[in-house]
Every structure is written in structure tokens, then in C-alpha cells.
Amino acid sequence: MRPRRQGAGDARAAAQEAVRAELRPGQSVELLKELHILTRDGLMNQDSRRKLKQVYHLYQFIEPLLQEVAADGHAPLLADHGAGKSYLGFILYDLFFKPLGRGEIVGIEWRAELVQRSRALAQQLSFARMRFLDMSVADAAQADLPGRFDVVTALHACDTATDDAIAFGLAKQARHMVLVPCCQAEAAAHLRRNKALQLARTPLAELWRHPIHTRELGSQITNVLRCLYLEASGYQVTVTELVGWEHSLKNELILARYTGQKKRSARERLQAIGEEFGLQDLLQTRYPA
């Protein structure tokens, strides 16, 4: 019996070592356990591994932006919208802000119980330069916050919360925005509302005649409008995949860097798409001139 117990112990130790090999250098194991990415035994299931891979992959895009912002001793200020359980915010702090020794992360989340949990965890881990606000993304621009933020993130902020994060970034003159949209429904609702009129007006309306096409096209158009709006507002925009499609269907990553060069052609195309698809009301609400 004793050799069997020893063998089981060796197998567990090997599994723990394999998990540690997947972590970033200096990554807090205690943090990952508190976020339930690791079990109390230091192991990881497939769902947690997928979640961690997404956050790590996003970190690869955000880290160079933070390094750029932190040059010359500047203290980076980052707003994490739709923070949820703050996986992204905590890992950004653990891997970048903590060793940097300066800068602050502000997590914005409307679910009060998640905000309280994040505050308690930040205190437990002595992550002193993290704070969390119990409010919607839409209300954050009017909150008592600094007038400028360096980086604005929104990881899987649902439906119009991504648009609210963009509005916040514009209001706070963000140098960078990192957005992973999720569950866009507003444009699809506008398409459904005007479907009969558009079917009579243009054959393009066949693109959203069937409900499933309405949903998918609405999602696609929403992200196209967001990119054009950012370009019209002075940002250089890059669109890429967050991770492989086998890991998540909500996989589009929008990176926006402020250049100050407002593209008139982007504004014109934004208006043209709105007119072609009958989305003028949406433009006035979400992407005003």
C-alpha cells in the first residue's frame, strides 16, 4: 500500500509542476487559487485553463502598451470596464503593476457582490493600487475619476457596454483602448424594426431577412461601426483574433491607439453604412458626429 500512496503523490506533484510551467514567471499562485483558476491543490481543469489562456493572450497585447505608457517614470492609469470577477485586472496588476511599483487599476462593475469580492481580495493580497467601483460602464464617465486614463479595457463587456467603454475612453482621452466585444444585440434590433421597409428598398436586406442572419449581421455591423467611429475620433485601429475559435466564439479583439488624426473618410463611411442599413437612429445614439 505504501508504494501506491507514494506513486499517487508523485503523480500529483508532477501534475502541479506541469501547471506551474504554464504560469508566467512571478505569477502569484495564491491569486490564481483565489480566482478559482487553480484548485487548492494547485491544479487546473480545462475550463480554467481556457480562461487563463485568454487572459494571458490578452496580456500579451496590453503589456507593451503599458510599457510605452510607463516610460519616463509615468504612473499608468488603467480602467477595466465590465470587470466581472476582475480576472484581467488582477492578473495585470500581479504581472505588471506590482513589480512596476506605480500606477493604478480601476475596475468598473455594476454587480455589487462582485465588486465587494474584488475589494476584499485586493486587500487580502495587498494590491493597494487597485480600486473597484460599483456602477455601470455608462455611469463611469460621470463618476469622480481622473480626467485622463492611459488605457481602457473591456473584456467581454456585453452588448452596449462596449460602446459605453468607448465613450468613456473618448471622454478620458485614453491613449489606448483594448476591447473584446460580446453579445451585440442593439444593431440587430434596429435591423429587425426596419426589415420590411429595407426588403422593399434594397436586395442587401436579404443579408438579414432570416433571424439568425439578423443576429450575426447585427453583431458584425456593430463592430465595423465601432472601428470606423474610433478612426473618425482620432484612433488607429487594428482588429484581430483574441484566441483560436476553438476556445471562444466571442473572439474579436479591437485595439485602438490615439494618434489625433481624425479620418474624415471613416466618418463618411460610417454615415453611408448607417443609411444603407437603416441605422441612422443607432448612429445618433452610439456614434454621434
Side-chain angles (χ1 to χ4, degrees), residues 91-106:
I91 288 177
L92 284 171
Y93 191 95
D94 189 39
L95 294 179
F96 188 87
F97 284 79
K98 185 173 68 173
L100 183 68
R102 62 182 186 274
E104 183 181 10
I105 293 178
V106 179

Side-chain angles (χ1 to χ4, degrees), residues 99-216:
L100 183 68
R102 62 182 186 274
E104 183 181 10
I105 293 178
V106 179
I108 298 165
E109 170 58 46
W110 65 272
R111 289 167 289 186
E113 69 277 9
L114 297 183
V115 171
Q116 291 300 327
R117 190 182 307 169
S118 294
R119 286 172 178 167
L121 180 55
Q123 184 175 12
Q124 175 185 333
L125 298 173
S126 298
F127 285 7
R129 288 173 285 110
M130 289 190 81
R131 59 170 164 150
F132 301 90
L133 302 180
D134 173 11
M135 63 178 59
S136 69
V137 181
D139 291 337
Q142 285 74 47
D144 184 18
L145 289 170
R148 298 193 68 174
F149 274 77
D150 297 300
V151 181
V152 170
T153 64
L155 175 57
H156 295 159
C158 283
D159 197 15
T160 59
T162 298
D163 297 303
D164 293 332
I166 291 173
F168 178 93
L170 294 178
K172 299 298 183 180
Q173 305 174 63
R175 293 168 62 176
H176 300 280
M177 297 192 215
V178 181
L179 312 166
V180 181
C182 183
C183 306
Q184 301 94 310
E186 190 174 42
H190 282 267
L191 290 172
R192 280 193 295 270
R193 191 177 309 141
N194 301 319
K195 186 177 296 186
L197 176 63
Q198 296 301 321
L199 279 168
R201 188 183 70 86
T202 172
L204 281 177
E206 291 294 331
L207 293 174
W208 68 96
R209 179 161 64 93
H210 299 288
I212 189 172
H213 294 158
T214 305
R215 183 188 68 198
E216 296 302 321

